[in-house]
Amino acid sequence: MDKVVEVLPDKSALVNRATILVQEKIESAIASQGQCTIALAGGSTPKPLYEALAQTSLPWEKLHVFWGDERYVLPEHPDSNQNMARQAWLDRIPIPAANIHPMPTASGNPEEDAATYNTELEQFFGQSIPNFPALDIILLGMGDDGHTASLFPHTAALSVGDRLITVGNKDGQPRLTFTVPLINQASNVIFLVAGANKVPALEQVMAAEGDSQQYPSRLISPSGELWWLLDAAAGSKLDITC
């Protein structure tokens, strides 16, 4: 694993840096293999990144978009990660509809929908368990409790190692989420973390030793590159200069 931590002056600078980095990784993947696979994160931090990417010029027909996690709501719901990404980015670019692969949330059975998305990923990548496909880019955020995707502290999802997709749990509400081994197979994992409220958890996640059940972001250790892009508020207690 190649780990890079960058502390940017503010959230705007973080978004600018993330836009450049993601664009570079998309172009590199397309140049080397003819397409790029990316998994998106929800939350407020990546939204301006998506809006910025909508203004770039890329061969969108060679990009395939997935989601690393999703709230168990219908796609048009205001809390839907898919809905946010479509409004901010995907509906504003000429990407083929077939290249967008949202997590299904309409059956009323989260376990069934998780299995459906698991099968879709296996068929797309032509691999099945015990082999995990390698996405080119996985974007992640981190909550002030140290969770990432929908991998929350002390939940069963943290220990799932025999599936690509599982059901996470947020205060009794189901979420669909990538499993830890699927995330860790990625070529590039990029965390976007902003805000002073993230400092306590970030210190625990970055510590040499710690509790991964309490701070699940510690579990992310990809076979490829690991990028932590932080704004100055989030990175204020880390011994890193930008």
Side-chain angles (χ1 to χ4, degrees):
M1 177 186 69
D2 296 323
K3 179 179 177 181
V4 180
V5 182
E6 296 184 10
V7 181
L8 291 308
D10 52 32
K11 188 174 179 179
S12 177
L14 185 160
V15 170
N16 289 341
R17 174 68 179 114
T19 304
I20 293 170
L21 179 62
V22 171
Q23 188 170 359
E24 288 176 350
K25 296 302 182 183
I26 290 173
E27 291 173 337
S28 176
I30 291 172
S32 65
Q33 61 202 26
Q35 70 174 18
C36 176
T37 54
I38 184 171
L40 306 187
S44 59
T45 303
K47 183 178 181 181
L49 164 63
Y50 302 156
E51 291 170 341
L53 287 169
Q55 304 302 315
T56 63
S57 178
L58 288 166
W60 301 118
E61 73 281 359
K62 297 179 181 178
L63 182 70
H64 282 267
V65 179
F66 300 84
W67 274 262
D69 76 315
E70 182 60 274
R71 295 173 173 87
Y72 202 68
V73 295
L74 294 177
E76 61 272 15
H77 194 283
D79 292 339
S80 166
N81 291 341
Q82 178 193 168
N83 186 39
M84 183 272 280
R86 284 185 181 276
Q87 290 186 16
W89 180 16
L90 302 177
D91 288 349
R92 300 162 61 185
I93 60 171
I95 185 171
N99 289 23
I100 301 174
H101 308 269
M103 287 181 159
T105 56
S107 79
N109 185 329
E111 295 285 354
E112 180 180 305
D113 283 333
T116 296
Y117 203 59
N118 192 103
T119 299
E120 180 176 352
L121 286 173
E122 289 184 335
Q123 291 177 345
F124 179 88
F125 288 97
Q127 290 184 301
S128 57
I129 299 300
N131 297 311
F132 285 81
L135 280 87
D136 296 305
I137 305 165
I138 296 179
L139 300 177
L140 294 175
M142 189 197 75
D144 56 13
D145 61 354
H147 87 270
T148 191
S150 283
L151 300 166
F152 291 93
H154 301 289
T155 57
L158 302 183
S159 59
V160 175
D162 60 350
R163 280 164 280 167
L164 309 181
I165 309 298
T166 192
V167 179
N169 186 303
K170 169 64 171 172
D171 298 329
Q173 298 299 314
R175 308 272 190 99
L176 302 189
T177 186
F178 277 15
T179 58
V180 171
L182 176 57
I183 295 173
N184 283 340
Q185 195 65 26
S187 299
N188 298 276
V189 172
I190 304 173
F191 274 92
L192 309 176
V193 183
N197 62 314
K198 307 294 177 66
V199 169
L202 197 57
E203 287 185 290
Q204 295 297 322
V205 170
M206 293 291 188
E209 296 183 2
D211 185 351
S212 298
Q213 291 293 310
Q214 182 65 47
Y215 299 98
S217 292
R218 292 183 59 87
L219 294 168
I220 306 308
S221 180
S223 56
E225 298 178 3
L226 174 60
W227 293 80
W228 284 89
L229 302 185
L230 318 172
D231 71 354
S236 60
K237 298 292 182 66
L238 300 181
D239 186 21
I240 298 167
T241 57
C242 54

